[in-house]
Structure formats: structure tokens, C-alpha cells
Amino acid sequence: MNENKKPTLEICLTPDAVSFIDLTGKIAVIVDIFRATSCMVAGLASGVTHVVPVASVEDALSYKSEGYVTAGERNGEKVEGFDIGNSPFEHMEQEFKKIVMTTTNGTQAIEAVKNTAEQVVIAAFLNLKAVTSYLKSQNKDVVIVCAGWKSRFNAEDSLFAGALALKLKGDFWWEGDEILFSTHSYSSVKNNLSKILKHSSHYKRLKEHGVENDMDFCLEIDKFKNVPILKGNILENLAK
Ligand code: MLT
């Protein structure tokens, strides 16, 4: 909290930048628009009750005997031997209740904060309004952590961070140039978001795998009202 008595809001444009921030007592909001956090929000909004995010394929496979569906990708492609990949449509299959998930960047970003942040919250365009309301209700410092791509910046997560920061404007004390950059960038492209993001590196990578429908879906705003929160090692919806 700063001298203005408002909680602070910061953005980490890459997960590696988190190591420079003390997350003690803060809420870390994890963002991986294409597609990890969009899958988590969509799955948990559609009947999934537990999502366990893990760092490695081996960790994910160890949950299989406990009845978990194994989900995730490496480099955008389903992991060999897993039940499902990283498409939000797969995560919304009604028969799944418990999913264990590992992805190239999204679950790694969760790993990077889970032992130090006071809370870990999952955000996507799909639950933008719900996450905004939740963060406003908490009166705690917030760090938006963009999962990026293999430690590097990406456009879709950084633009989402700008969208969320704009929603939180007035209730938080903005810290760092990343907010200035992300909010101005989002304001200038918001009416052409999907057109602009078709030029992003991960869109092009995923297009090679023929999953353009996934990206269109991940850019839908406020489709769901749930807010996934990490409790121990499990992501669950915040109880209403
Ligand atoms: C990730 O965590 O890197 C992504 O969600 C990759 C993907 O698009 O599946």
C-alpha cells in the first residue's frame, strides 16, 4: 500500500520479471490468453471442479491414478499420451471433473508465484469483469503476471493486462512503466483486437495447428462469471 492509501497495481510483462517483485501479501493474477488461463476459466465455468496446474509432464501423469484427466501442450501441441490438449473446447467437455494440466508457459507462470503470492487468481478476457470485481473487493496490492512465451514478452497477454488495468483505474495506485505501455496499447487496438492479434507470433504458431477457433473464443469478453483461485495446489472457482 502507498501513501495514497490505495492498493498498488503492477504488471510483469514476462514471468521472469516476477523475481524482481516481492509478492508477499499480494495477489498475483496469472494471464495466458492463448490459451492456458482461457482453458482454466472455460473448464471451471463448464462443470470442471478441480484443475491442478503442474510444471512437468511427469507430474501430470502422476495424477492419472487419482482419476484426473491429463491436459496440456508443449509448443502448442497436445502432449503425447495425454487425454486432451489445450483447447478451451476440450476443457469444456461436460464429463470432466478433475483436470491436471501442464503447459509451456501458463502453468510455469503459476509455479513462479505460487509459493510467494498471498493469492493466485486466474484471468482471461473470458472472465475480465468478474476478475475486476473480485480484485476491487480485496483491497490488496495486485501484480498482473503475463505468461508470455518462453520467458519472452507476448502481445496478447500484455494487451489483456492493459485491459484489466484500465478496468481497475481509480481503485489502484499504478506502479511502473509497464502499465503505461499496456494501457495505451490496449486503448489503441481494442476495436481491432482480433485483427491485430492475427499478426502475433503465438496466433501464427497455433494457426499452423489449425486451431483458429480457439483463439476467436479466447478473445470473447465476459463470457463467464467465474474467478478461479489457487487453493493449495488446486484451482477452484471462488465461492459466490
Ligand atoms: C502456454 O501455456 O504456453 C499456452 O497456453 C500454449 C498454448 O497455446 O497451448
Side-chain angles (χ1 to χ4, degrees), residues 163-192:
L164 180 55
L166 285 167
K167 290 265 185 199
L168 296 170
K169 193 173 182 176
D171 292 77
F172 287 80
W173 180 257
W174 287 6
E175 278 192 4
D177 287 359
E178 293 90 343
I179 296 210
L180 194 65
F181 170 80
S182 291
T183 52
H184 281 279
S185 302
Y186 182 71
S187 296
S188 66
V189 303
K190 67 178 181 192
N191 296 327
N192 291 307

Side-chain angles (χ1 to χ4, degrees), residues 32 34-36 73 76 86 103-107 148-149 202 206:
D32 186 350
F34 296 154
R35 296 164 289 178
E73 56 67 50
N86 201 32
T103 69
T104 310
N105 306 285
T107 61
W149 182 257
H202 198 43
L206 290 175

Side-chain angles (χ1 to χ4, degrees), residues 41-42 45-46 89 92 124-129 217-226:
V41 172
S46 310
F89 300 110
M92 289 190 292
F125 282 109
L126 295 170
N127 69 345
L128 174 59
K129 192 172 174 190
F217 182 81
C218 293
L219 295 179
E220 287 188 38
I221 296 180
D222 295 332
K223 189 171 179 66
F224 301 117
K225 293 191 170 77
N226 58 317

